[in-house]
Amino acid sequence: MKTLKASGVGAAINRVEGRLKVMGMAKYASEFPVENIVYAQGINSTIAKGEIISVDTSEAEKLDGVLAVITHKNSEKLKTFEEEMPELTTTSKAPVLQSPKVRYYGEFIGVVIAETFEQAQYAARLVKFEYKKDPEPTILFDESRSKAYKPKSHTDYLRGDMAAGLAEADETLDHTYSTPIEHHHPMELHAVIASWENAKVTAYASQQIVEDSIIAISDTFQIPKKDVRVISAYVGGGFGSKLNTERHVILAVMASKMLKRPVQMTVTRQQMFTNTGMRQHNEQRMQIGAKKDGSLTALSHDTLSHTSTYQEYQEPCGMMSKMLYKVPNNEIKYSLIPMNFQTPFAMRAPGEATGSFALESAMDEMAWKLKMDPVDFRIKNDTQIDLGAGKPFSSRLLTECLRIGADKFGWENRPKEPRAKQEGNWLIGYGMSAASRNAPYQETSAKVILELEDDKVYATIQMDATDIGTGSYTIIAQTASEYLGIPVEQVTVELGDSNFPITPGSGGSWGAASYCNGARAACESAIGKLKENKNISQDEDIVVAELLKQNQLNKFEAEGTAAPSEEFEKHSVFSFGANFSEVWVDKDTGMYRIKRMVSVGSAGKIINPKTAYGQMIGGLTMGAGMVLAEQTRIEPNFGNFITRSFADYHVPVNLDMANIDVIFLPEEDKIANKMGIKGIGELGITSVAASLANAIFNATGKRMRELPITPEKLIVAPLEPGVTA
Ligand code: MOS
């Protein structure tokens, strides 16, 4: 098949859906025109723990336009959890309003449905709840440490003997790194339009994984999967918060069933702090031992975090510490405190984003102790074997990422000692980190419809895949263009409808590899069948228009499925990267500026350098946000969050960001999958925080082990022992 260099795989084309988006024609969940629609507004609890003893809906119900108020008193009976503390997953059911119990501040305890959005909003404020408050909710992490237990979802891991590894080390360290609660906050609010008709559900819902949303809805309502249709054509960001199906979706379906009308429910920006997931606060204790020559002898990573009182989620912070370096003695541990907050869930690079802050900060600290260059220290401990999994890597170009990044960044100009480079009031520091992210390719199906018109073939690809802003539409179109040998303009991509073939959805950096290979399989299947029908050899190079003509067909459809190979299973498949950054710190105020960032990624075949670059700068910005500002604060008396809007939950803006260079190493990982693609959605955020914190250390001699690194923390932090002021 000829490669169409202009628009096929590898071309930096513009987004195929870009025009629709800027014209306002790309329909997001709450924008579908549905007749006879009504509006739902959720009501949030105002205590952290206790029980509702009375509900007064009379005032709300008197209002014009109010159609119903649903609370635990009149809610439909839903399927609840069969076990204590089940794990929250992407398919978890989401029972709501099933009991008078309140388990955290902001939990949905009711919903008002009205003819207009404004009526529903106003009426929601008039519903009165009386509570019997439990005087001892668990809302303070520090005071709740004794409640920590061993989670069942991520079990502890040990290879070798930590004590022996530490004993044979020339240098050891033992430090704890802390990261705060963060919230995903995609631009598009969580939203749904649900209709229940003849025992069948249709939900236009902003979800990352259509198929898993169907499972969650059908399990919660105990109806067959085939009676649920989910449409998620455009998703305005998710970052993990839309992986699972949250309770607003269930509430809207429930209300539609009750009122026999389609119900639209949007989660407000404020409610997105309490009702659509969060990243939990993590405390990560790192112990490292190393020989004088830089070889690691021991590394342990012990994470303490929290879950809700009703469901378990453990962010696997120790993942990178298990596989990134050649260290014979390695221990990964987890514990969780059940607290009166919503169940935390996966947020962009769950495990790596926070885990890498601890690991790559600690590695920098050890390099400093050993008086070794931090880049050389990583390279010294590089490995082609994933010791954690006991498998070889499918491909691992970490050393190349580090060397090329160092060269591009000008690492040789790094001040060798902290505080050595100053300009006026600025202390200038260079920092770096290594990054890795699992590339979990999964089984994916797609359908292709070929149509011949005036000698030209037009193709439509259909899959239940989603585009969460990443560029799925574009890279799938490019794949079809490549494998059908037609220009991308002749390809239409239709996504996000459960009537289309099943994909794993968007999450965990598996989207691009899975989607493209699924689309490839469908195109190959179509061409294969057209050849077979006419006894044309599968090796013969013949254009698809000619194939259709020989088959005397104007239209032809085929489906295909791609799945991980045996070789894939025999390897550890990861993307790798290196981050370099330059930070200028004002020595009097602790204010600092990120001046430059260089990110090198080895992520297999890059389908579209432009959308890939977008993913990387998005990840780098989010990683910078972890350092600069992101933090959800808890009000210590009531257990509400104090940070309730973008006015107080800060994320970086353009002015906060640096000059960013992104380099992708040319690579095709054929073990990963036929097209050689690995993920980058989460690689971008991984280890950014450590790179910046390490640059801050190089600038100031202060080791910042708690995120975010705000000026007030930086200014009072002590110099590390051995640093000259
Ligand atoms: Mo991602 S946290 O799997 O959307």
Side-chain angles (χ1 to χ4, degrees), residues 300-501:
S300 79
H301 193 154
D302 186 350
T303 304
L304 173 65
S305 46
H306 55 98
T307 187
S308 68
T309 57
Y310 53 93
Q311 229 171 350
E312 186 175 293
Y313 176 73
Q314 168 69 61
E315 180 172 6
C317 296
M319 256 179 341
M320 267 173 76
S321 295
K322 196 169 160 180
M323 51 60 69
L324 193 57
Y325 297 116
K326 185 169 60 197
V327 54
N329 306 296
N330 179 232
E331 185 163 31
I332 311 295
K333 290 196 276 190
Y334 296 104
S335 31
L336 280 176
I337 305 171
M339 296 184 74
N340 290 103
F341 295 103
Q342 65 175 322
T343 318
F345 200 44
M347 181 162 150
R348 198 172 194 169
E352 294 89 352
T354 45
S356 65
F357 169 62
L359 173 64
E360 288 301 285
S361 293
M363 285 294 284
D364 200 69
E365 298 208 40
M366 182 51 87
W368 159 249
K369 281 196 162 203
L370 295 168
K371 300 277 170 259
M372 208 171 160
D373 182 281
V375 174
D376 296 341
F377 182 41
R378 265 80 170 184
I379 292 172
K380 172 88 190 167
N381 291 288
D382 195 13
T383 170
Q384 290 296 318
I385 308 287
D386 176 347
L387 296 173
K391 296 176 187 180
F393 289 106
S394 58
S395 76
R396 167 162 163 147
L397 301 177
L398 180 61
T399 291
E400 291 78 355
C401 288
L402 291 165
R403 291 221 164 101
I404 290 167
D407 186 47
K408 177 85 184 164
F409 184 80
W411 185 250
E412 80 270 15
N413 302 322
R414 180 182 86 112
K416 298 292 175 287
E417 292 298 320
R419 305 180 78 89
K421 189 168 175 174
Q422 303 199 13
E423 212 175 293
N425 234 33
W426 296 105
L427 302 171
I428 298 168
Y430 288 14
M432 59 76 55
S433 64
S436 71
R437 166 68 209 184
N438 193 11
Y441 169 59
Q442 294 178 50
E443 179 174 309
T444 303
S445 299
K447 180 194 243 185
V448 61
I449 305 162
L450 301 174
E451 284 167 286
L452 185 65
E453 225 177 276
D454 300 333
D455 277 357
K456 276 189 184 170
V457 174
Y458 293 85
T460 303
I461 301 280
Q462 294 178 333
M463 354 182 25
D464 81 358
T466 54
D467 188 330
I468 61 174
T470 45
S472 309
Y473 280 99
T474 308
I475 60 172
I476 293 168
Q478 288 178 265
T479 302
S481 156
E482 176 85 24
Y483 286 87
L484 295 170
I486 59 176
V488 83
E489 294 75 24
Q490 285 159 231
V491 180
T492 304
V493 179
E494 295 176 354
L495 301 181
D497 187 331
S498 57
N499 284 350
F500 299 152

Side-chain angles (χ1 to χ4, degrees), residues 54 159 228 324 541:
S54 78
R159 71 170 175 263
V228 183
L324 193 57
D541 204 357

